[in-house]
Structures are given as C-alpha cells and as structure tokens.
Amino acid sequence: TTLLEPLRLERRPPLPRRARHARHDWMLVGGLVLVYALLQSAFVHQPPLSDQMHYFVDAATLPHISEPPHQTLRIGLTIPVWLMIQIFDYSEAAYYAVPYLSAVGLVTATYWLGRLLDSRATGVIAGVLVFANPFVLDDGSQLLPDIPAAALFTGAITLLMFRTARGWVYYAGERR
C-alpha cells in the first residue's frame, strides 16, 4: 500500500443511462440559473474606473498591450472578453457577459459536484449557497478574474469526480 491509498475513490461499475432522471437534473440546473439571473439583476454595478476597465480596454485593443502589462497577461480573462467584444461590439453586454457566464458555470459545476457526491438535494443546496453568497453576488457583475477562476476550478474537480465515478480515470502504475 501507499500513503495515498486511503484517498483513492472506490471503483464502481458504469452507471446505467436514465434519460428521465438526467432531464430532471437539467431542469434543476436551469431553475438554479434562472433564480441566479433574477437575483443578480438586483446587484448589477456600474463598471468602476479601476482594474475592471483596464481588463476591458486591454481586451478591446488586443494584441496591443497597455500599462501595466500584468493585467493584459491575464489571458484567461482578456481573451474571453475579447471574444465577447467581437460578438457584442464594445458595449455593456460585452462587459457583463464574461462575469455572468462565469457565475452560471460556477453554479452549474457546484450543483453537479453536489449531485455526484451525494444527491440532488445536496446539489441544489450547494448551488443556492453559492449564488446567494454575497461575494459571488457582488463580484458577479464585476470584470475580475475571481469568479472565472473559481468556476474553472470547480468545473475541473467536477469533471474529475464524474470520470472517477465511472471508472474512466487510471492511476499511475495501474494496468488497464
């Protein structure tokens, strides 16, 4: 045995496909996203003349780098904002799209993680706790890297747990 042996998850056979139950999960996710959108609409802030506008202007002027250059190098934020500017032009829709979609991704990934670890009720409670968090509501309309980073991390953990639960993850030194 190794030091990490207790941390390994139990291998289970692949779960049977249940289309009806999957539809219920997606309806719950849609309900969580709808409630988040309604709640977030009450907490929309005007873009402050701070780092948020630097990210937006840097994304609009890519590939030219402005000062300070470290903000332009946050490509996980500037490239999605640049893409939204290409879609919506230089507008408020482009400014608010990335924070909103990131928070939606965070709520969705949190629901699925709770669902994988325990039950639908756990997923719903976890999703509600995430979008009702004052920090998420406050930053949900700000163009900052915090919410996108949390959404990507939570999504990666959820994907790893999903693949592990279905036996699609192999450990180092393990035969297939």
Side-chain angles (χ1 to χ4, degrees), residues 60-74:
T61 59
L62 274 179
H64 305 291
I65 296 176
S66 67
E67 293 294 329
H70 72 277
Q71 291 177 338
T72 305
L73 297 177
R74 292 189 175 155

Side-chain angles (χ1 to χ4, degrees), residues 9-82:
L9 294 174
E10 177 184 320
R11 294 269 180 163
R12 299 181 203 154
L15 299 174
R17 300 189 90 177
R18 298 181 200 149
R20 192 177 90 234
H21 296 296
R23 186 173 59 231
H24 290 265
D25 285 328
W26 285 110
M27 287 172 38
L28 286 171
V29 168
L32 284 171
V33 168
L34 179 66
V35 171
Y36 166 74
L38 294 173
L39 191 59
Q40 182 61 49
S41 66
F43 288 90
V44 174
H45 300 291
Q46 294 179 351
L49 296 174
S50 185
D51 289 349
Q52 294 89 326
M53 286 308 294
H54 284 280
Y55 295 133
F56 191 68
V57 170
D58 286 344
T61 59
L62 274 179
H64 305 291
I65 296 176
S66 67
E67 293 294 329
H70 72 277
Q71 291 177 338
T72 305
L73 297 177
R74 292 189 175 155
I75 60 173
L77 185 63
T78 54
I79 291 177
V81 172
W82 174 83

Side-chain angles (χ1 to χ4, degrees), residues 100-110 151 154-155:
Y100 174 74
L101 292 175
S102 298
V104 165
L106 179 61
V107 169
T108 303
T110 303
T154 307

